[in-house]
């Protein structure tokens, strides 16, 4: 049986007439399956955003939360590496201005404050639903590897640990994960765990039509999901 908190996330979204989860909801959902997401807090006023940033600890990332803004950076709705309370105040106003200029009728639900994850190897984990076979799981390296080279691996969910290990190894750019040109190797065990936990989440949540964790930053040890999008 799945956790009641999982059902509640979907009910909140459908109750508000949304066919997608906000990033913070998607990350709360991911966290319920053990996935390593950034620490997050949503705040509604400038004062509360500053408080949230102080609780999370600097540097932080600020992002717009709006039902009309699914691609946040396209709307000028993401600010990274905000270093202090003054930066948060400025950033808060800047994000609201940017979004209002780009999408004039955007309703502002709040601002999502999160820990700034250190730079790492960028990977993507995603899912779409095959009408016949159900949820698929996709893995690839971030940036041009997926967008231009379409260098990805796919499986139908559910997957086993062996499947997940093969998914990691079978992309053409696998060597990059092993570490090249003095760059340290990426934690492949952490990626395998993410693929397995994602598989479990997809099997327990038929509500998820599409999932896009992009990017996931992978370190020598451990990984962090810094953005997550779910379409219902
Ligand atoms: P979008 O909705 O535009 O995809 P993202 O949440 O992916 O917005 O943010 C845009 C970019 O900002 C990311 O691709 C990543 O490079 C950076 N970023 C976002 N959140 C974080 C974070 N918590 N730590 C570090 N970098 C981040
Ligand atoms: Mg993103």
């Amino acid at each position: 049986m799945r956790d009641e908190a999982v059902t509640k996330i979907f009910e909140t979204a459908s109750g508000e007439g949304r066919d997608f989860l906000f990033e913070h909801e998607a990350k709360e959902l991911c966290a319920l399956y053990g996935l390593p997401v950034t620490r997050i807090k949503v705040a509604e006023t400038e004062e509360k955003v500053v408080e949230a940033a102080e609780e999370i600890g600097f540097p932080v990332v600020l992002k717009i939360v709006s039902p009309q803004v699914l691609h946040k950076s396209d709307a000028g709705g993401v600010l990274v590496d905000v270093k202090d309370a003054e930066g948060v105040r400025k950033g808060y106003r800047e994000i609201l201005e940017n979004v209002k200029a780009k999408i004039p009728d955007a309703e502002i639900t709040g601002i999502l404050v999160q820990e700034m994850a250190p730079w790492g190897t960028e990977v993507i984990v995603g899912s779409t639903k095959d009408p016949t076979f159900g949820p698929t799981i996709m893995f690839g390296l971030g940036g041009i590897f997926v967008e231009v080279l379409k260098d990805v691996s796919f499986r139908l969910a559910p997957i086993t640990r062996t499947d997940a290990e093969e998914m990691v190894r079978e992309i053409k750019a696998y060597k990059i994960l092993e570490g090249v040109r003095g760059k340290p190797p990426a934690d492949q065990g952490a990626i395998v765990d993410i693929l397995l936990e994602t598989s479990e989440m997809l099997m327990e949540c038929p509500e998820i039509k599409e999932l896009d964790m992009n990017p996931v930053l992978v370190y020598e040890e451990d990984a962090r999901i810094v953005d997550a999008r779910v379409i219902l």
Side-chain angles (χ1 to χ4, degrees):
M1 266 299 282
R2 75 179 189 187
D3 198 310
E4 265 175 48
V6 169
T7 303
K8 201 146 171 271
I9 292 170
F10 294 125
E11 282 176 354
T12 300
S14 62
E16 292 174 11
R18 280 185 279 126
D19 64 352
F20 64 92
L21 300 182
F22 288 128
E23 179 182 333
H24 61 279
E25 295 170 328
K27 283 180 170 172
E28 281 158 17
L29 175 67
C30 286
L32 287 163
Y33 288 92
L35 287 155
V37 294
T38 52
R39 265 180 302 147
I40 49 173
K41 267 182 201 295
V42 179
E44 286 83 26
T45 63
E46 186 176 316
E47 236 24 74
K48 289 260 165 65
V49 173
V50 172
E51 261 174 47
E54 276 163 352
E55 280 170 41
I56 281 174
F58 293 103
V60 294
V61 177
L62 305 177
K63 302 187 194 180
I64 189 71
V65 184
S66 163
Q68 285 77 30
V69 183
L70 205 50
H71 297 275
K72 298 162 302 248
S73 39
D74 292 351
V78 178
L79 273 183
V80 300
D81 204 19
V82 179
K83 292 190 167 71
D84 52 27
E86 196 43 46
V88 172
R89 288 179 196 284
K90 265 183 62 190
Y92 172 84
R93 291 178 212 140
E94 197 180 317
I95 286 182
L96 294 189
E97 265 174 41
N98 290 347
V99 171
K100 277 185 190 138
K102 283 257 164 72
I103 305 169
D105 63 352
E107 304 156 52
I108 310 299
T109 307
I111 294 283
L112 175 59
V113 185
Q114 59 191 258
E115 69 181 290
M116 169 88 189
W119 188 86
T121 305
E122 270 187 44
V123 307
I124 295 176
V125 175
S127 173
T128 54
K129 225 177 210 169
D130 182 278
T132 310
F133 300 108
T136 62
I137 304 183
M138 186 217 76
F139 168 74
L141 290 193
I144 60 158
F145 292 99
V146 167
E147 279 157 34
V148 184
L149 303 173
K150 313 282 184 225
D151 179 18
V152 294
S153 54
F154 276 102
R155 289 291 184 284
L156 287 173
I159 55 169
T160 63
R161 182 164 290 273
T162 307
D163 293 327
E165 286 164 355
E166 283 171 5
M167 283 181 78
V168 172
R169 278 196 301 259
E170 76 188 31
I171 58 168
K172 295 191 195 79
Y174 173 66
K175 279 214 166 83
I176 291 177
L177 296 174
E178 290 187 299
V180 280
R181 297 212 210 140
K183 273 199 205 142
D187 187 343
Q188 292 177 42
I191 301 173
V192 167
D193 288 343
I194 287 175
L195 292 170
L196 286 171
E197 285 153 0
T198 299
S199 170
E200 193 197 340
M201 177 168 80
L202 292 169
M203 295 313 291
E204 279 200 8
C205 303
E207 291 93 338
I208 300 176
K209 213 164 163 189
E210 274 175 45
L211 167 72
D212 188 26
M213 300 193 280
N214 178 9
V216 178
L217 299 176
V218 188
Y219 308 110
E220 264 188 277
E221 260 176 61
D222 215 356
R224 275 283 168 287
I225 296 161
V226 310
D227 184 23
R229 217 188 316 276
V230 169
I231 309 289
L232 304 172

